[in-house]
């Protein structure tokens, strides 16, 4: 596609466009991508040009189109952001940076990389929603050329599109892009089902078109007789929506009655309701299928009247009625409201239309685990909605399945914390009652604020979960600081460390390894189990320990050889001694350790808090020697015990964490009891205590896991 075609399309909706700015951006991109090819064999410049064309089809402003032309020059051509800012200004630089992936950073998993890319995109989107419009155009053109990729890559990209980008287009109200994204992704993710459905629909297309033509003729005559000017169109449902309806209703294609659709476009809201009256006069409406999105617009600004009727020949017919302005918003969504031609936004209520994005950003800061972030993002994007009323008559949109607690937290955080009950439509209901569209909700609040931890398993919205977690973190911080301080002092006395060392710079030095920046942070982390008091005190002692002099070993026979299986521990003051790790406590790098000189079997290495060491300190202190860890790649075994609610998939979730961290388990057992509690015991191979601490945190975030502890 030549650049002239793009310029001509922009001139159709913006005759005063600065053509030289577009030409300069095109030449810059062409030079940056010089000699680069796409997988299809085409010159790389074809892709940004097509992305810019899609943005022009959405009738976006000049900066958006230029951002589309330049969106790959940082990631694929190595151009620095400062160059973009100098050449094309801050606005274009912000857009290009927002769609640039974070490939320069190292990630533990592909899922974490995807989560961080999306996190960055959402933050950039909050500054300027055009970032996501460019990204959607980029994804759409990539899908249009997906046939050049390998089959596994096709399915991976198609799956990501259906899980993330199509729902984002839906939330932004851009149905024109959403429908094409879904249909192409469906074709590559499930090619056999796509082909079968296409064939079956094609076989009956002529019959459907004839039927729709007859219905349109009846409507035109009736509406014309009433003086209503209307454009009536047959509305073919896109393939993926039909397929989703078949899955949701567990029906075959012949059993889906509302494949046929009619869209009626009129001049005014008054004509919308008058047209609806005509439709319901002509044909009997299907009960429960009428929806008034004009009076109660969707969060993505969509407005229309929807109804289903039993049309001619007993066929169920779905009819939409809307004005031309509503139709433009339905097709272009947020893009229809984004104008910088005059330097101001055309819609004064623009920010309110992105309220869902602000809510999305509120909770995403709290979710640092990649899997939890991705799962919660998908839930928030995919969720169907219910519309409920406050006692004052205001309308709130909530995800389907929401309960009064979700409603309360949407109104105000304090109202959520103080909720003790609810009235729905004047009747008392429990807090776990599932709200329905049209419900009038009145929250009963108590005097004392204080959510229950059980609420985390009840609420539906990410916002409510975030507010509840924040409450527990804030309310329990002081308590945790006190508990952690006391635990450290007890452990210091136990290991013979003076208490003044617990308040020194060395403690902060250790804390920074866990991203803890103050003494209070360290104390709270100990109480929460992020790091154990035993580990901190032991490492603190190692930091404070002076360089040892040569030690005198007891007069016992020691075999002076080094076994490959025992490398990783050194006896201070002596070399080439047989060293083995004790099985009674299974020490791993990072544990505070003590050596015990056995009778004829070398030095056995124990954790400092091992019960046997306590006995020997009293009876055979002369046999205890100082030992230290050396760097080694040898894995060490450690036993874990996990307690949680007995549910299907709990063990699978635990094993998924091990798989993600590439940790082997040599022994696993799981059991449940009558109290619906489950206990999972396993022995895993890890490199050091830091890896164990991270593993424990990951497992502790699994739903329904109550405790993760190391077993001696």
């Amino acid at each position: 596609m030549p650049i002239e075609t793009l310029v001509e399309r922009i001139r159709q909706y913006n005759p005063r466009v600065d053509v030289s700015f577009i030409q300069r951006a095109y030449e810059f991109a062409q030079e940056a991508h010089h000699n680069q090819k796409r997988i299809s064999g085409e010159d790389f410049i074809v892709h940004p040009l097509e992305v810019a064309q899609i943005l022009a089809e959405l009738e976006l402003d000049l900066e958006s189109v230029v951002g589309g032309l330049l969106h790959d020059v940082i990631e694929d051509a190595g151009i620095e952001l400062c160059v973009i800012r100098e050449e094309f200004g801050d606005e274009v630089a912000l857009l290009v940076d927002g769609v640039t992936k974070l490939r320069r950073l190292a990630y533990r998993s592909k899922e974490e990389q995807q989560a961080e890319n999306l996190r960055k995109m959402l933050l950039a989107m909050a500054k300027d929603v055009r970032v996501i419009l460019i990204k959607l155009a980029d994804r759409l053109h990539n899908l249009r050329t997906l046939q050049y990729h390998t089959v596994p890559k096709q399915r991976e990209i198609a799956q990501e599109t259906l899980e993330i980008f199509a729902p984002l287009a839906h939330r932004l109200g851009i149905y024109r892009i959403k429908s094409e994204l879904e249909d192409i992704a469906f074709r590559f993710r499930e090619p056999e089902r796509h082909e079968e459905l296409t064939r079956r629909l094609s076989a009956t297309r002529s019959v459907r078109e004839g039927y729709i033509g007859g219905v349109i003729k009846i409507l035109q005559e009736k509406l014309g007789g009433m003086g209503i000017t209307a454009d009536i169109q047959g509305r073919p449902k896109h393939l993926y929506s039909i397929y989703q309806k078949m899955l949701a209703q567990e029906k075959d294609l012949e059993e889906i009655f509302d494949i046929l659709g009619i869209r009626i476009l009129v001049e005014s809201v008054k004509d919308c309701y008058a047209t609806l009256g005509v439709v319901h006069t002509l044909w009997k409406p299907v009960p429960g299928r009428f929806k008034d999105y004009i009076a109660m617009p969707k969060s993505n600004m969509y407005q229309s009247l929807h109804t289903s009727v039993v049309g001619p020949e007993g066929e169920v017919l779905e009819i939409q009625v809307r004005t031309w302005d509503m139709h433009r918003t339905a097709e272009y969504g947020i893009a229809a409201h984004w104008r910088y031609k005059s330097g101001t936004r055309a819609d004064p209520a623009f920010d309110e239309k992105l309220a869902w994005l602000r809510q999305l950003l509120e909770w995403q800061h709290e979710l640092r685990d990649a899997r939890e972030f991705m799962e919660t993002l998908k839930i928030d994007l995919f969720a169907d909605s219910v519309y409920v009323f406050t006692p004052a008559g205001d309308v709130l949109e909530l995800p389907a399945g929401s309960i009064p607690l979700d409603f309360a937290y949407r109104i105000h955080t304090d109202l959520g914390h103080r909720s003790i009950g609810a009235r729905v439509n004047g009747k008392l209901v429990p807090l776990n009652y599932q709200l329905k569209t049209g419900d009038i909700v009145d929250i009963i609040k108590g005097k004392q604020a204080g959510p229950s931890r059980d609420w985390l398993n009840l609420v539906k919205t990410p916002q409510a979960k975030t507010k509840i977690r924040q409450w527990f973190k804030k309310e329990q911080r002081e308590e945790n600081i006190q508990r952690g301080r006391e635990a450290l002092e007890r452990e210091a006395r136990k290991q013979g460390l003076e208490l003044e060392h617990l308040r020194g710079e060395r403690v902060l030095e250790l804390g920074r390894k866990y991203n803890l920046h103050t003494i209070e942070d360290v104390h709270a982390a100990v109480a929460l189990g992020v790091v154990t008091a035993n580990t901190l005190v032991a490492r603190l002692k190692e930091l404070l320990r002076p360089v040892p002099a040569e030690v005198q070993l007891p007069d016992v026979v020691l075999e002076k050889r080094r076994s490959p299986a025992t490398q990783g521990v050194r006896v201070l003051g002596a070399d080439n001694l047989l060293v083995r790790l004790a099985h009674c406590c299974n020490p791993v790098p990072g544990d505070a350790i003590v050596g015990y000189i056995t009778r004829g079997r070398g030095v056995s290495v124990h954790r400092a808090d091992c019960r046997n060491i306590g006995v020997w300190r009293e009876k055979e202190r002369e046999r205890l020697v100082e030992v230290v860890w050396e760097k080694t790649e040898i894995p060490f075994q450690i036993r874990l015990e996990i307690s949680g609610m007995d549910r299907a998939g709990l063990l699978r979730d635990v094993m998924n964490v091990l798989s993600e961290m590439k940790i082997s388990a040599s022994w696993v057992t799981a059991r449940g009891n009558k109290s619906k509690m489950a206990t999972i015991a396993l022995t895993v191979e890890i490199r050091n205590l830091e890896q164990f601490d991270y593993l424990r945190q990951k497992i502790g975030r699994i739903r329904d896991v109550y405790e993760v502890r190391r077993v001696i």
Side-chain angles (χ1 to χ4, degrees):
M1 181 190 74
I3 184 65
E4 291 76 18
T5 304
L6 173 63
V7 171
E8 183 58 35
R9 179 65 186 92
I10 299 172
R11 276 178 168 160
Q12 291 175 10
Y13 64 88
N14 185 8
R16 298 181 181 181
V17 65
D18 183 355
V19 175
S20 64
F21 194 53
I22 299 174
Q23 186 68 38
R24 186 154 55 91
Y26 172 71
E27 291 171 358
F28 186 94
Q30 192 174 40
E31 177 64 26
H33 296 301
H34 182 63
N35 288 334
Q36 290 184 345
K37 298 286 185 180
R38 287 179 53 85
I39 295 178
S40 62
E42 295 178 311
D43 290 338
F44 195 96
I45 190 63
V46 171
H47 172 63
L49 198 54
E50 289 289 347
V51 169
Q53 181 69 23
I54 293 170
L55 296 169
E57 293 296 331
L58 294 174
E59 300 187 3
L60 288 181
D61 61 293
L62 178 61
E63 287 76 13
S64 298
V65 177
V66 169
L69 285 170
L70 301 173
H71 77 278
D72 272 334
V73 297
I74 294 178
E75 183 177 326
D76 292 311
I79 302 297
E80 294 294 331
L81 181 62
C82 59
V83 177
I84 304 296
R85 184 175 291 109
E86 184 178 338
E87 291 287 332
F88 300 97
D90 292 339
E91 206 170 317
V92 172
L94 172 67
L95 299 179
V96 174
D97 185 46
V99 294
T100 301
K101 295 177 184 175
L102 304 178
R103 284 184 177 170
R104 299 176 186 178
L105 302 181
Y107 299 101
R108 285 184 290 269
S109 67
K110 184 175 179 63
E111 187 172 41
E112 182 179 355
Q113 181 179 5
Q114 183 191 40
E116 290 308 313
N117 283 332
L118 287 167
R119 206 188 291 270
K120 179 192 177 185
M121 188 175 66
L122 288 171
L123 290 170
M125 181 178 162
K127 297 179 184 177
D128 196 323
V129 76
R130 293 173 295 176
V131 167
I132 193 60
L133 301 180
I134 296 173
K135 185 61 186 176
L136 289 173
D138 170 57
R139 176 53 60 110
L140 180 56
H141 183 252
N142 282 332
L143 280 182
R144 288 174 178 174
T145 56
L146 198 56
Q147 67 270 24
Y148 297 106
H149 285 277
T150 62
V151 171
K153 190 67 175 177
Q154 289 172 357
R155 290 183 173 167
E156 178 187 332
I157 294 173
Q159 183 71 23
E160 183 185 53
T161 300
L162 291 173
E163 289 184 344
I164 302 296
F165 292 99
L168 267 173
H170 171 75
R171 291 300 299 265
L172 293 168
I174 314 173
Y175 287 94
R176 171 175 290 194
I177 286 183
K178 169 186 176 285
S179 300
E180 188 174 354
L181 286 175
E182 288 180 338
D183 281 350
I184 298 177
F186 176 39
R187 174 158 60 94
F188 285 99
R189 192 185 70 171
E190 301 186 61
E192 297 84 3
R193 293 183 180 180
H194 180 278
E195 183 180 353
E196 179 190 4
L197 199 54
T198 302
R199 177 179 51 77
R200 293 175 66 184
L201 286 171
S202 297
T204 59
R205 177 176 296 142
S206 59
V207 175
R208 291 199 313 274
E209 289 175 350
Y211 180 85
I212 291 293
V215 172
I216 290 175
K217 185 175 180 180
I218 295 171
L219 284 169
Q220 284 174 334
E221 291 175 358
K222 193 69 175 178
L223 293 174
M226 295 186 64
I228 298 175
T229 303
D231 182 5
I232 308 173
Q233 310 163 354
R235 185 181 61 83
K237 285 198 171 182
H238 69 288
L239 210 60
Y240 186 69
S241 70
I242 296 173
Y243 174 65
Q244 287 295 97
K245 185 163 287 191
M246 291 169 61
L247 290 181
Q249 299 179 9
E250 298 183 351
K251 293 180 179 178
D252 192 54
L253 182 62
E254 286 78 8
E255 300 175 275
I256 304 295
F257 296 113
D258 53 354
I259 292 177
L260 304 174
I262 295 286
R263 180 178 294 131
I264 306 173
L265 305 179
V266 295
E267 299 293 333
S268 66
V269 173
K270 176 184 174 183
D271 288 344
C272 287
Y273 288 101
T275 300
L276 179 70
V278 170
V279 170
H280 284 178
T281 301
L282 287 170
W283 301 294
K284 185 176 180 180
V286 177
R289 296 297 300 271
F290 169 63
K291 295 177 181 177
D292 187 346
Y293 294 120
I294 293 179
M296 290 193 298
K298 293 185 178 183
S299 60
N300 60 12
M301 302 169 295
Y302 178 88
Q303 286 184 289
S304 188
L305 297 176
H306 288 198
T307 188
S308 294
V309 297
V310 181
E313 303 175 22
E315 292 281 354
V316 175
L317 190 65
E318 196 174 76
I319 296 178
Q320 297 175 352
V321 186
R322 63 178 71 143
T323 66
W324 283 96
D325 284 343
M326 293 174 190
H327 181 60
R328 176 177 174 77
T329 299
E331 291 290 298
Y332 297 100
I334 207 79
H337 293 256
W338 195 264
R339 292 288 179 270
Y340 271 78
K341 296 173 189 174
S342 60
T344 59
R345 294 171 184 151
D347 188 348
F350 183 85
D351 288 332
E352 294 181 12
K353 302 180 188 302
L354 286 178
W356 67 270
L357 175 59
R358 289 196 301 273
Q359 293 157 6
L360 198 66
L361 293 172
E362 280 180 13
W363 57 258
Q364 70 92 16
H365 287 292
E366 297 293 318
L367 303 177
R368 292 301 169 193
D369 179 75
R371 179 168 298 177
E372 185 179 5
F373 172 80
M374 293 301 296
E375 289 178 354
T376 314
L377 176 64
K378 292 169 190 176
I379 290 170
D380 195 80
L381 291 177
F382 268 120
D384 293 328
S385 298
V386 293
Y387 298 87
V388 296
F389 294 89
T390 68
D394 296 325
V395 180
L396 288 184
E397 181 187 9
L398 294 168
S402 292
I403 62 176
L405 284 172
D406 294 297
F407 174 91
Y409 278 105
R410 180 65 61 86
I411 296 292
H412 195 277
T413 301
D414 184 61
L415 180 62
H417 289 339
R418 295 172 62 184
S419 299
I420 59 173
R423 289 188 181 88
V424 174
N425 304 323
K427 297 181 179 180
L428 284 172
V429 298
L431 287 175
N432 62 353
Y433 167 87
Q434 287 200 359
L435 299 172
K436 303 177 183 62
T437 294
D439 281 346
I440 302 173
V441 186
D442 186 12
I443 298 297
I444 303 170
K445 60 183 181 180
K447 294 181 180 179
Q448 299 295 325
S452 164
R453 286 194 180 274
D454 293 338
W455 290 5
L456 288 169
N457 296 322
L458 297 177
V459 293
K460 178 74 173 179
T461 58
Q463 301 94 318
K465 289 181 185 290
T466 298
K467 298 300 183 185
I468 295 168
R469 288 192 185 106
Q470 287 175 343
W471 188 90
F472 281 109
K473 284 184 180 179
K474 181 179 179 181
E475 293 298 313
Q476 294 184 347
R477 179 169 171 79
E478 291 302 322
E479 179 186 343
N480 287 334
I481 290 172
Q482 180 65 24
R483 285 171 49 213
R485 183 188 301 115
E486 292 171 356
L488 277 175
E489 290 176 353
R490 283 196 304 271
E491 188 63 30
R493 293 188 189 99
K494 183 178 177 181
Q495 294 193 33
L497 180 69
E498 294 183 12
L499 297 184
E500 64 183 38
H501 293 306
L502 296 179
R503 294 177 285 276
E505 180 61 32
R506 293 293 193 180
V507 176
L508 286 176
E509 181 182 334
L510 289 173
R512 280 191 285 270
K513 294 182 179 180
Y514 296 91
N515 201 28
L516 306 169
H517 303 291
T518 66
I519 295 290
E520 289 77 14
D521 289 341
V522 173
H523 292 162
V526 169
L528 292 171
V530 174
V531 58
T532 64
N534 171 41
T535 299
L536 271 178
V537 172
R539 292 184 184 178
L540 190 57
K541 286 181 66 179
E542 288 182 12
L543 288 175
L544 297 169
R545 179 182 293 125
V547 178
E550 178 125 357
V551 299
Q552 295 296 320
L553 299 178
D555 187 18
V556 294
V557 178
L558 292 175
E559 186 177 352
K560 293 195 173 185
R561 64 184 176 86
R562 183 183 291 272
S563 167
T566 62
Q567 291 180 5
V569 177
R570 180 167 58 89
V571 179
L572 293 177
D575 294 324
N576 301 321
L577 297 180
L578 176 65
V579 178
R580 63 184 180 84
L581 300 179
H583 293 296
C584 57
C585 55
N586 288 325
V588 298
D591 282 332
I593 51 177
V594 176
Y596 173 72
I597 302 172
T598 66
R599 290 171 173 80
R601 291 189 300 142
V603 176
S604 65
V605 178
H606 299 253
R607 286 170 54 177
D609 59 353
C610 178
R611 289 186 296 269
N612 289 329
I613 290 294
V615 173
W616 293 327
R617 276 201 179 102
E618 294 180 3
K619 298 182 178 180
E620 298 182 283
R621 180 176 289 273
E622 72 280 359
R623 290 183 176 275
L624 300 182
V625 293
E626 287 191 274
V627 290
V628 294
W629 294 106
E630 294 181 318
K631 289 185 178 180
T632 178
E633 297 299 322
I634 299 174
F636 296 81
Q637 289 197 337
I638 194 168
R639 288 193 63 192
L640 287 177
E641 188 170 276
I642 303 162
S643 301
M645 184 182 295
D646 192 1
R647 64 166 173 85
L650 181 61
L651 178 59
R652 179 200 62 212
D653 291 345
V654 171
M655 300 309 292
N656 283 342
V657 170
L658 297 181
S659 176
E660 181 182 320
M661 293 183 64
K662 296 181 172 58
I663 292 176
S664 299
S666 59
W667 177 79
V668 180
T669 181
R671 65 182 185 275
N673 59 28
K674 295 180 180 179
S675 301
K676 298 295 183 181
M677 292 293 295
T679 301
I680 300 173
L682 62 161
T683 301
V684 296
E685 293 185 345
I686 63 170
R687 295 188 300 275
N688 50 49
L689 203 59
E690 282 88 351
Q691 188 185 30
F692 165 68
D693 286 339
Y694 185 67
L695 171 65
R696 186 171 59 177
Q697 291 178 49
K698 293 275 286 183
I699 294 176
R701 293 193 189 107
I702 295 174
R703 179 169 60 89
D704 297 328
V705 168
Y706 299 146
E707 183 184 18
V708 183
R709 66 187 185 91
R710 182 177 176 183
V711 180
I712 297 178

